[in-house]
Amino acid sequence: MSNVIVVGFILVLALAGGNLIKLIRIPEVVGYFFVGLLMGPSFSQILTREAVGTLEFFSEIALGLILFSIGVIFDFGNLRRAGRTTTLLTLYVGLGTAVAVFTTLLVLTGSWQIALLLGTIAIEVSPIATILVLREANSEGPLTETVYNIVALNNVVCLVGFGLATFAVRSFSGTESGLALLRVLAEEALLLVWSNVGSVALGIVLGYILALWGSRVEEHSELLILTLGILLITVGSAHWLGVSSPIASIALGATLINLAPQSKNLFDVLGKTDPPLYAIFFVLAGAHLQLSSLLLIGLSGIGYTLARIAGKMIGAWVGARRLGSPLVVRRYLGVTLVAHAGVAVGLAIQSQSIFPLYAEVIAAVILGSVLVNEVIGPVLTKFAILRAGEAREEHPGAFQSL
Amino acid sequence: MSQTTKVEGQTELKRNLRSARYHIAIFLSAAAILVAGGIWRGGSEKGEVQSETALIDALREEVSGLRIGVTASELDSIQSTMIKAAATIGGAVVAVLPLDGDPSPRSINLYSDTREQDSPPPASARLSPGVSGIVLDLDGYVLTSANVLMFGPRVQLKFVDGTVVEGKVVAADTQEFVGLVKASSLPQGVLLPDFSKGVSELRTGEWLIREGRSPSGSESVSLSLLESIRLGGGDRRLGFLDSPAAPEIDGGALIDVEGRLAGMYATPPDAPAFVVPIGRALAIANKLKTVPPNPQSWIGIELQELSEDLRQYFGMQTGALVVQVMPNSPAAKAGLKAADIVEKIDEKDVGSASELTAAINSKPPGATVQLSVRRGLLSLTMDTVTAPFTESVANTSADGQSLVLKIKETAQGPAILEVGPPPLKNRLGLMPGDIIKSVNGRSIRRSAEFIQLIRALPADRPRLFQIQRGDQLFFVGIQEPVTIP
């Protein structure tokens, strides 16, 4: 089957699946995900492994777009107002997650290395799933705002945490010692700094270009072309440079919003044009995973999933209390941050190449729990914002709004 | 009033300037970080994991790069060694040539010390005007390549002084690719080479002088670098050189810069040429000496070793598979047929095809041999009387028919489209769709090569076709002239 028709089917079936699942008040993205699972190699094989590989391109764009739009929250006004609280809250949530998962897995697997690596991978929250649920529910309020803020910063915390964990495992259980170990560690440290600083620098440089050029572009449609072009260049260059493309995309959005505050409506326009990409993103994410990986999940996987949710809730609760955040944030923040995907799988693959010894356990746990979390994450997020009373679900009919 | 505006304007300008500087600073530092990082890491993530062949190529390049680094003194030493080698060891290097009008190489003693080999040993090899050999001792034993098998049981040896003597092929080990020839006599004053170099003394990166003797009797010398040493099973070590050699160096000597004999050069027909370290070659030669010599008798069967899948198919662990029975041969008279498996000879178990060949060859002509044969579910016992070697060979190609082959080109090589006449087709077991992979050890990729080769071969010389049918590879020996319409 040609890829064109496959993409067509992805879109139509995703919409159908999303609508079906909305009937039982579950977020659309879960429907997309299920459609992917059904279309993918585990079931009907409409989406073959090769097709998934080819269409991966769309996922890249979708992820870049959503992260780019998250960048908005890094405008200086917002940062001055909420920067300190956000940073600390992110750290609390991250630390809570890492500690909870670490202790649980230390007990379950008996290997501190696996526990530490998984503990830091657990910090990751899928920004795209979380944000799309918020968007779908049209939510507004202190919880929504906090979630936006945290999701943006969380990736950085996760990457740094994972980097440090890699360090620790290398230093205490690696095969190298003495000078060789120092060399390896120095190189790792440099790589860690580079993947963070480099991606921010990439976002800034291209953000300047985007802002300068964008201020000379008259038409809205042209601005869209320019933005998409620069965004793709950002993602592509991030891969080439070996830096984090999510962070670079956020940095691009952040740079743009600070240099050209009037670009805020650009983000709104983008939000109206990109849903097809997100549909493809989730269908592909579903097609990627195999139901059989659920069988692999085992006791450690279940422990990981539960400890991760518990850790997020405890971290959020303690942090929000200490920082004097509103009650809704204290109660529901942890629950909104359960969605788990992309970056986690990436880190699992990365640890596979660095620590082949632990790779099997890590991969099984992550692949299994990502499958679970892709489903329960959005459900929990929606549940939380409904309970927090921040959802405003009434949408105008599509043709009405025209 | 106007003054305040002016002052305000100035501060705004200053602020703008400061802010511009500030932006430029941010932009430039970010760009600087990117450039630095890009130089450091750029492209590294996207780079595919290097394939093994790429790594090996890189390594190979590195090693051959060593050639540039020869110092003048090394060069002098190499030059003087080459002269010395040509003068001394050169005396022990002989040309090994086929005797004119020699009978078929078909029934030459094959010897292999690996009994569990999966494929039948290549009974014949590359067609070459001649190979080289190294005189081992004053008894007249000459070390050479296993390619010597293609010349038949008798060869002629040409020495440095132009003397030509006759020799007989003792045996050859087609796994290690070492052959042994015994000269009927040696000319006066042959100098034996220095055999003291141990197998473990071979070093990668070492210069080796290849010395062989061309059929005309002239010296053939070339310089090469020992690129790699590969460990085989047991104490087996193979050396690989950086450059190909002239065909006549096959079986020739490799001399190190100290003038010692380092090894023998072997050129298998379908594998890269390699160096058999001299210590190893001597050990093999000693084994070959104990193999019963000159094939005396013949019953007219062609055999194939049982590969793992054949063993499973027939449900037998040992035995020799009969590929072909020559018409009018003793075996045919006794009732042996293709696809029979010979289990026992004279009540003794047959371990492998080469064992059976050796057993038959060592019988005196006219002896009665009892063969126990498995044919499908039947177990048969038949007696056959061995015939003298040369006579029986002459019999087989007497019927004068020629094999007619129609060939078509395929991606895998020339394939048989039609084969005839029917009696020959049935006897040889060739089928349309069979792909011809090699003829007399020379591998073939295109129909044109095949036709050229068939036309170039003298009509009376037997041909050994390597045939691929599906996943299976096997050999078919053809005595008859081959015509390609």
Side-chain angles (χ1 to χ4, degrees), chain A residues 44-358:
Chain A
S44 67
Q45 304 194 348
I46 297 174
L47 266 172
T48 56
R49 236 168 259 285
E50 296 80 63
V52 174
T54 321
L55 299 177
E56 201 72 331
F57 179 68
F58 286 107
S59 300
E60 290 273 357
I61 305 176
L63 194 64
L65 273 173
I66 200 98
L67 291 163
F68 173 71
S69 65
I70 291 176
V72 177
I73 61 129
F74 280 100
D75 96 84
F76 281 131
N78 186 28
L79 275 189
R80 217 166 290 140
R81 199 158 36 80
R84 189 178 154 273
T85 321
T86 305
T87 314
L88 289 176
L89 203 52
T90 312
L91 287 176
Y92 270 112
V93 177
L95 201 64
T97 314
V99 169
V101 172
F102 175 77
T103 34
T104 312
L105 283 171
L106 191 60
V107 174
L108 289 177
T109 66
S111 153
W112 68 268
Q113 293 95 332
I114 292 180
L116 194 61
L117 291 170
L118 280 175
T120 50
I121 295 179
I123 298 173
E124 197 263 350
V125 173
S126 161
I128 187 160
T130 314
I131 301 283
L132 284 187
V133 174
L134 299 185
R135 274 199 197 169
E136 186 193 344
N138 252 341
S139 74
E140 233 169 57
L143 177 62
T144 309
E145 201 180 316
T146 315
V147 172
Y148 267 107
N149 289 346
I150 284 189
V151 156
L153 206 59
N154 190 68
N155 253 319
V156 181
V157 174
C158 172
L159 283 182
V160 172
F162 181 75
L164 293 176
T166 317
F167 251 12
V169 176
R170 263 277 160 81
S171 318
F172 296 110
S173 67
T175 45
E176 301 97 346
S177 63
L179 269 181
L181 175 68
L182 274 182
R183 245 193 87 235
V184 169
L185 287 187
E187 204 181 290
E188 294 265 313
L190 216 56
L191 273 177
L192 184 62
V193 170
W194 166 237
S195 72
N196 286 288
V197 175
S199 44
V200 171
L202 178 67
I204 289 176
V205 168
L206 288 168
Y208 265 95
I209 294 172
L210 176 58
L212 283 180
W213 195 343
S215 63
R216 274 161 189 72
V217 168
E218 310 255 306
E219 270 184 57
H220 220 111
S221 51
E222 287 182 351
L223 191 58
L224 268 179
I225 295 176
L226 178 67
T227 310
L228 197 58
I230 296 279
L231 181 64
L232 292 187
I233 292 174
T234 309
V235 172
S237 321
H239 283 303
W240 188 78
L241 290 165
V243 299
S244 150
S245 69
I247 296 181
S249 304
I250 296 178
L252 181 72
T255 311
L256 181 66
I257 195 76
N258 283 308
L259 291 177
Q262 68 279 16
S263 64
K264 193 136 193 165
N265 51 5
L266 172 70
F267 291 95
D268 294 339
V269 175
L270 272 179
K272 290 205 176 81
T273 45
D274 52 16
L277 284 175
Y278 300 138
I280 297 176
F281 178 90
F282 281 99
V283 171
L284 289 183
H288 256 305
L289 296 173
Q290 292 183 340
L291 222 51
S292 55
S293 51
L294 263 187
L295 301 175
L296 289 177
I297 189 168
L299 193 58
S300 342
I302 297 169
Y304 173 87
T305 308
L306 293 179
R308 182 169 169 273
I309 299 175
K312 295 230 180 276
M313 289 173 73
I314 296 167
W317 193 79
V318 173
R321 204 184 141 93
R322 285 270 177 95
L323 297 167
S325 304
L327 193 65
V328 281
V329 175
R330 201 184 303 175
R331 276 199 186 150
Y332 299 117
L333 179 63
V335 184
T336 53
L337 298 175
V338 172
H340 196 30
V343 175
V345 176
L347 292 180
I349 291 169
Q350 202 176 323
S351 54
Q352 209 158 358
S353 59
I354 311 177
F355 309 110
L357 196 60
Y358 317 120

Side-chain angles (χ1 to χ4, degrees), chain B residues 228-273:
Chain B
S228 62
I229 297 174
R230 199 176 299 163
L231 298 177
D235 57 346
R236 195 174 176 207
R237 263 165 206 249
L238 302 178
F240 289 88
L241 301 179
D242 64 331
S243 55
E248 66 265 16
I249 290 190
D250 183 27
L254 288 149
I255 302 146
D256 70 5
V257 284
E258 290 163 35
R260 291 191 294 171
L261 185 62
M264 189 203 80
Y265 194 65
T267 322
D270 42 14

